Amino acid sequence: MKSIFSIFKRGLEKSATKISRSIASVFGNVKLHGKSSFDELERLLIGADFGVAASKKIVSDIRDLYDRGKLDADADLAAAARNTVNEILRQNTRKFELQNNSLTVILFVGVNGSGKTTTIGKLAANLKNDGKKVVLGACDTFRAAAVEQLQLWGERTGCKVVSGKPGADPAGVAFDAVKTALNDGADVLLIDTAGRQHNQKNLMEELAKIRRSLNKALPGAPHETILTVDSSLGANVISQAREFSATAGVTALALTKLDGTGKGGMAVALNCEFDLPTFFIGLGEQPEDLQEFDIDFFLDAMFGEKQ
């Protein structure tokens, strides 16, 4: 069994390499640094998908320390960057928790291809391993492939899947899923949703209808609405996340595909941009590679273990 830190370290290896090379390329073998050096570092951090706001703050903090004679080597620069990233990530550190002695309903939203269904399947596997009874709700009724994928995860994890006929009312399926989960004495209900329709207005109206249906079936539901974000797309997902967080009642984030393309900076960019905690990050293909977001593990993997 891999340790949790080893999963973080392996999954974020490309991102860590990108950061260290960015710092070394700007500050290596140069005795004095002026505005051009810091402008170049900011450009490289934005290119590494730390986002504009976070990149500006990181560089501002580094430049302040440098101007006060507090920085010398690349290692000092990395440590300074780590400290600023730590401050950004600590702004919202709420952890994923289940309801006490009652059904927890979690609604997943996000565009098609962001990894919603896979994240739900991996989370179901992890919750089952923790001894929880899990039911899955297939509310993306317009794509047969989405229902089939969720049913495969249901078979793989031993979780019941509630679905409807193709084209069925997603809100009706959501209502039925809650009632099934309650009748079965389940601990957790994970709801999958559609990510794209012929216009964004229809999608948001459908999500609002699903939320009303869940609350009707179980007052207080959904207890969490998690936006899945494909981190491999980099800065392009910021506008995506902005629209969903503004209109779909998003309470937390799940960042997928962080392992493949060196875009670990997205965790920082999204945290800096939105007042939302990151609950999960995807660092590989296996269920165990979906991990609850741990700031210390993330920092150690990205910047090296603190001495």
Side-chain angles (χ1 to χ4, degrees), residues 137-142 162-165 167-180 189 191-192 206-214 216-217:
C139 293
D140 185 354
T141 60
F142 300 103
V162 179
S163 60
K165 295 179 180 178
D169 177 23
V173 176
F175 186 91
D176 292 343
V178 173
K179 292 305 182 184
T180 298
L189 170 62
I191 299 282
D192 196 7
E206 180 190 286
L207 291 175
K209 187 178 177 183
I210 290 173
R211 292 176 61 83
R212 291 194 299 270
S213 186
L214 292 171
K216 183 178 179 181

Side-chain angles (χ1 to χ4, degrees), residues 48-288:
D49 295 291
F50 277 80
V52 174
S55 296
K56 285 182 177 297
K57 179 165 177 52
I58 292 168
V59 172
S60 175
D61 287 357
I62 288 176
R63 182 166 190 175
D64 178 63
L65 289 169
Y66 177 79
D67 288 345
R68 291 191 288 122
K70 302 292 186 181
L71 293 179
D72 292 313
D74 293 349
D76 295 336
L77 294 163
R82 175 196 173 106
N83 288 338
T84 300
V85 170
N86 181 52
E87 289 177 15
I88 292 170
L89 295 178
R90 301 275 177 200
Q91 291 173 1
N92 193 327
T93 57
R94 188 168 66 87
K95 293 290 187 180
F96 173 71
E97 293 181 341
L98 301 180
Q99 300 291 299
N100 287 325
N101 303 315
S102 61
L103 176 66
T104 300
V105 179
I106 304 173
L107 181 67
F108 282 81
V109 301
V111 300
N112 290 341
S114 64
K116 282 193 308 294
T117 308
T118 299
T119 298
I120 289 169
K122 290 177 178 179
L123 179 57
N126 292 341
L127 289 168
K128 285 278 288 186
N129 286 339
D130 288 340
K132 304 300 182 184
K133 188 170 187 178
V134 183
V135 173
L136 309 179
C139 293
D140 185 354
T141 60
F142 300 103
R143 290 194 310 133
V147 177
E148 291 169 3
Q149 186 184 5
L150 198 65
Q151 287 171 336
L152 284 173
W153 275 109
E155 293 171 9
R156 187 183 304 179
T157 58
C159 297
K160 181 180 287 187
V161 179
V162 179
S163 60
K165 295 179 180 178
D169 177 23
V173 176
F175 186 91
D176 292 343
V178 173
K179 292 305 182 184
T180 298
L182 289 169
N183 290 337
D184 288 358
D187 299 296
V188 188
L189 170 62
L190 307 177
I191 299 282
D192 196 7
T193 62
R196 184 181 293 112
Q197 293 183 18
H198 63 276
N199 67 52
Q200 195 74 350
K201 183 173 182 290
N202 279 6
L203 171 60
M204 295 307 171
E205 287 176 351
E206 180 190 286
L207 291 175
K209 187 178 177 183
I210 290 173
R211 292 176 61 83
R212 291 194 299 270
S213 186
L214 292 171
N215 188 64
K216 183 178 179 181
L218 177 64
H223 302 100
E224 298 285 1
T225 299
I226 298 178
L227 172 65
T228 57
V229 175
D230 179 354
S231 305
S232 70
L233 298 178
N236 293 329
V237 303
I238 295 289
S239 58
Q240 240 178 58
R242 184 176 294 114
E243 177 141 14
F244 273 96
S245 63
T247 59
V250 173
T251 60
L253 302 170
L255 310 185
T256 66
K257 309 176 189 178
L258 269 175
D259 57 307
T261 52
K263 298 195 181 277
M266 281 307 304
V268 185
L270 287 165
N271 199 293
C272 195
E273 185 81 23
F274 305 102
D275 187 26
L276 293 169
T278 297
F279 277 175
F280 304 103
I281 59 174
L283 297 167
E285 297 298 322
Q286 300 305 312
E288 66 186 30

